[in-house]
Amino acid sequence: MTWTNAFRALDALGVGDKMRSQHVQVQGVRVMSSVTGEVVREIDIRVQGKRGPHEARCVQRNVLLQALEEELPKGTIRYSSKIVSIDQDAGSDAKILHLADGSTLRAKVVIGCDGINSVVAQWLGLAKPCDSGRRATRGHAKYPDGHGFQPKFMQFTGKGFRAGLVPCGGTDVYWFLTWSPAYAHGKKDDVEQSSTAMKQFVLAKLRSINAPPQVLDAVERSQMNDVLVAPLRYRPPFSLAFASISKGNVYVAGDALHPTTPDLAQGACAALEDAVVLARCLGDAIFGDGRESVETALLKYAGIRRWRSVQLIAASYMVGFLQQNDHALVRFLRDKLLSGLLAKGLLMMPDYDCGTL
């Protein structure tokens, strides 16, 4: 989901209202019983935060990327340009970027937004992302005549797994399932390599907690994501506390900086925060009075984003641990005492303002 903090960033970038017009606002979170499948707790997420009312929408990635691209002059973005290595340019501070197609680019500034397996993060010496021991799959169901779901996020937990479903608009529904492989019965290869087997795996999990029929139908009719199964990985949060996350004219942003488990739905939201803060810091250096260098601007950016990244990674990991842990005591506390607290915890990380450009 795209939360309040992300929409503040999108407003700063000039595309917030465009996204609001194309995606329904999610009104609340419904925590579903793992025994009856019925609603046990409901929380309104449109409540007032410290910096204004909260909002959340299930924004489709392709729609967002298109909107951002339309704000740029044609030819600004060069696609299919995967970096494979970085060299120092002889005689200058520039970097030579070697791409997968054999070509090279000479760059005065390198901001690595190249994902969880970031080559730029490796060049900076950041710790490799760790495997959380959990896996995830997701799907997108289309209803040409309308789906009938209320604009609310439905949250399910069961033995060793967690699932959710949320409408994106009047005709689109997104769902996900995360699980610990130790609780997955059956042949691993069959489940992870076949969309049919994966769909049946998800349905079996949801049926085990008596999920509502309309939720099962959404899975049945959905087209599985191109990546059937993805390991949930994260960068050890405190490794960022003292790491060199910027070096000269090289820095990282997005998943290259703060890969996190998806339990707070903050990965893309935090990346949008990165974009606004980075643009502001670079803008001050490039268009300011000339007293601040680009290197100083990147150090300033690093200082702003370092602890925010540590906080997001750590909080997301802990929420995922509590929501999916199947120890009897943890399950009792979660179902009886913590379900509402965890749902309210979703509102803590989005209550952040990255500022304007």
Side-chain angles (χ1 to χ4, degrees):
M1 289 215 294
T2 305
W3 285 91
T4 317
N5 54 324
F7 273 100
R8 288 176 182 144
L10 291 172
D11 285 336
L13 297 171
V15 298
D17 286 340
K18 185 180 289 188
M19 292 300 97
R20 290 183 180 95
S21 69
Q22 297 180 65
H23 300 89
V24 64
Q25 182 173 3
V26 180
Q27 297 175 1
V29 175
R30 285 182 165 177
V31 181
M32 315 299 288
S33 169
S34 59
V35 177
T36 66
E38 298 177 348
V39 179
V40 294
R41 191 178 296 268
E42 188 161 340
I43 296 173
D44 190 337
I45 59 174
R46 298 167 296 175
V47 296
Q48 190 77 11
K50 294 180 180 178
R51 299 170 177 83
H54 281 287
E55 66 175 315
R57 289 171 170 81
C58 182
V59 172
Q60 297 182 70
R61 180 182 291 266
N62 62 322
V63 177
L64 173 58
L65 293 178
Q66 182 178 343
L68 292 171
E69 182 182 22
E70 289 171 353
E71 295 295 309
L72 298 170
K74 287 188 176 180
T76 300
I77 301 174
R78 172 174 169 170
Y79 291 100
S80 301
S81 302
K82 182 180 179 181
I83 298 175
V84 294
S85 65
I86 304 172
D87 287 328
Q88 181 69 48
D89 184 36
S92 77
D93 292 332
K95 301 296 183 289
I96 304 300
L97 310 181
H98 299 270
L99 307 183
D101 63 3
S103 63
T104 59
L105 291 174
R106 184 177 182 274
K108 293 181 179 179
V109 178
V110 179
I111 306 297
C113 306
D114 48 340
I116 194 167
N117 297 313
S118 170
V119 172
V120 181
Q122 293 176 30
W123 187 87
L124 287 170
L126 296 185
K128 286 186 64 175
C130 298
D131 190 339
S132 68
R134 298 161 58 207
R135 301 292 180 264
T137 189
R138 58 190 66 84
H140 178 213
K142 296 188 73 68
Y143 296 77
D145 299 321
H147 50 65
F149 285 99
Q150 293 188 42
K152 297 182 180 180
F153 174 70
M154 302 173 70
Q155 178 177 293
F156 305 87
T157 55
K159 186 175 182 180
F161 73 90
R162 174 174 173 254
L165 179 146
V166 63
C168 301
T171 59
D172 299 89
V173 169
Y174 167 82
W175 60 264
F176 70 88
L177 180 115
T178 68
W179 74 95
S180 301
Y183 291 98
H185 303 292
K187 294 183 178 180
K188 177 181 176 182
D189 290 342
D190 288 346
V191 171
E192 296 194 1
Q193 295 180 12
S194 163
S195 60
T196 301
M198 177 52 66
K199 190 176 289 188
Q200 293 306 312
F201 173 79
V202 173
L203 288 169
K205 292 292 186 185
L206 292 173
R207 290 187 181 114
S208 73
I209 56 170
N210 297 306
Q214 61 268 38
V215 173
L216 301 177
D217 178 68
V219 177
E220 286 276 18
R221 67 167 61 218
S222 66
Q223 296 181 348
M224 300 297 289
N225 189 279
D226 289 339
V227 179
L228 294 178
V229 175
L232 299 185
R233 293 187 287 162
Y234 66 99
R235 176 159 286 126
F238 294 107
S239 72
L240 284 178
F242 306 103
S244 298
I245 57 179
S246 88
K247 189 182 297 183
N249 56 356
V250 180
Y251 191 68
V252 281
D255 280 351
L257 170 61
H258 43 66
T260 180
T261 59
D263 302 286
L264 290 176
Q266 278 294 314
C269 299
L272 289 167
E273 293 176 12
D274 292 341
V276 173
V277 176
L278 173 62
R280 185 171 63 246
C281 291
L282 286 176
D284 290 345
I286 295 170
F287 302 109
D289 55 17
R291 290 183 294 181
E292 185 177 17
S293 67
V294 168
E295 182 174 345
T296 301
L298 291 178
L299 286 172
K300 180 180 176 182
Y301 170 48
I304 295 172
R305 298 307 296 166
R306 181 190 302 275
W307 291 106
R308 173 69 171 166
S309 298
V310 170
Q311 183 185 39
L312 285 168
I313 296 171
S316 187
Y317 180 86
M318 288 306 301
V319 167
F321 172 80
L322 289 172
Q323 287 184 328
Q324 199 164 312
N325 190 289
D326 203 53
H327 188 280
L329 178 59
V330 175
R331 187 172 66 245
F332 172 81
L333 292 173
R334 180 187 64 220
D335 294 347
K336 301 298 182 181
L337 302 174
L338 297 178
S339 59
L341 184 62
L342 288 171
K344 288 179 180 177
L346 286 172
L347 300 178
M348 294 176 62
M349 290 299 108
D351 201 7
Y352 179 88
D353 191 349
C354 62
T356 58
L357 295 177

